[in-house]
Amino acid sequence: MPILRQIAQIGHPILRRETRIIENPADPVIQALIDDMLATMVEANGVGIAAPQVHEPLRLFIVASRPNPRYPHAPDMEPTAMLNPELLLRSEETEKGWEGCLSVPGIRGLVSRSTHIGVRYLTRTGTVREAELDGFIARVFQHEFDHINGLLFPDRVEDTRELVSEREYLRIVSSTE
Ligand code: ZN
């Protein structure tokens, strides 16, 4: 049975630490960690979660997607575990979009991200996958990729006036839809 993990919040040093490559995806400890992360993400209503957020300094995250107020056309994507992920290319074209984070509760920020990226990762069964990601899923990947490099979305906000409370975010989004 998966265990719900406690999510580290901004200020905890684990979120800023270096992370290790996963040498053996089949290791039962890694498989159990992936199951725990999936359960923890679903419970917290997230669309992604990275290992450092559950206090594990490893190069592993989960990317998911579902329609949401900011991206009503975001695809429904089965949560996917990505091990030792690499960002192979990123478009020069960028787009500003609102982000939140399970480790930064109650805050949203406008972050500029590449609209199109090429990635490589291992699946949880150890298979190498290459993929091109766009839009919301590309944004989630870049957000999670930052996590395994010790970065949080407020580090990417260009103007601190574009950091807002969850309540103000909901007001802004509902008035621009
Ligand atoms: Zn996050």
Side-chain angles (χ1 to χ4, degrees):
M1 276 290 283
I3 297 161
L4 293 179
R5 302 285 196 109
Q6 195 181 43
I7 296 171
Q9 295 194 348
I10 185 169
H12 194 296
I14 187 73
L15 296 170
R16 303 302 193 173
R17 265 184 65 176
E18 263 189 57
T19 52
R20 296 192 308 275
I21 292 275
I22 293 171
E23 304 286 352
N24 179 15
D27 183 339
V29 172
I30 296 297
Q31 292 295 317
L33 171 61
I34 293 169
D35 289 335
D36 290 354
M37 287 170 61
L38 283 164
T40 303
M41 184 192 78
V42 169
E43 171 74 15
N45 228 356
V47 288
I49 193 167
Q53 292 183 277
V54 296
H55 305 265
E56 302 289 349
L58 294 168
R59 301 190 74 76
L60 159 66
F61 55 68
I62 290 162
V63 169
S65 168
R66 55 172 184 269
N68 59 73
R70 193 64 207 171
Y71 294 85
H73 305 297
D76 251 318
M77 172 187 168
E78 197 58 33
T80 304
M82 301 183 178
L83 290 70
N84 304 335
E86 296 168 80
L87 199 40
L88 302 178
L89 67 92
R90 95 184 82 190
S91 63
E92 263 175 53
E93 188 194 350
T94 59
E95 182 184 43
K96 263 190 179 181
W98 289 103
E99 293 189 15
C101 180
L102 300 176
S103 295
V104 189
I107 300 287
R108 299 282 176 140
L110 268 182
V111 183
S112 191
R113 300 283 191 191
S114 291
T115 54
H116 181 91
I117 57 174
V119 306
R120 178 160 56 210
Y121 59 91
L122 294 180
T123 66
R124 67 181 297 171
T125 58
T127 309
V128 181
R129 279 275 155 77
E130 286 192 5
E132 299 200 358
L133 307 177
D134 291 296
F136 184 69
I137 296 175
R139 175 172 297 278
V140 175
F141 183 101
Q142 289 168 88
H143 176 114
E144 302 307 331
F145 192 73
D146 272 353
H147 271 301
I148 63 169
N149 293 312
L151 290 168
L152 297 170
F153 83 83
D155 304 329
R156 297 279 193 197
V157 170
E158 288 155 18
D159 181 340
T160 49
R161 281 170 288 200
E162 292 175 337
L163 278 174
V164 303
S165 75
E166 183 81 25
R167 187 170 66 192
E168 291 303 315
Y169 160 76
L170 291 172
R171 198 177 54 77
I172 293 162
V173 172
S174 65
S175 68
T176 53
E177 283 304 313

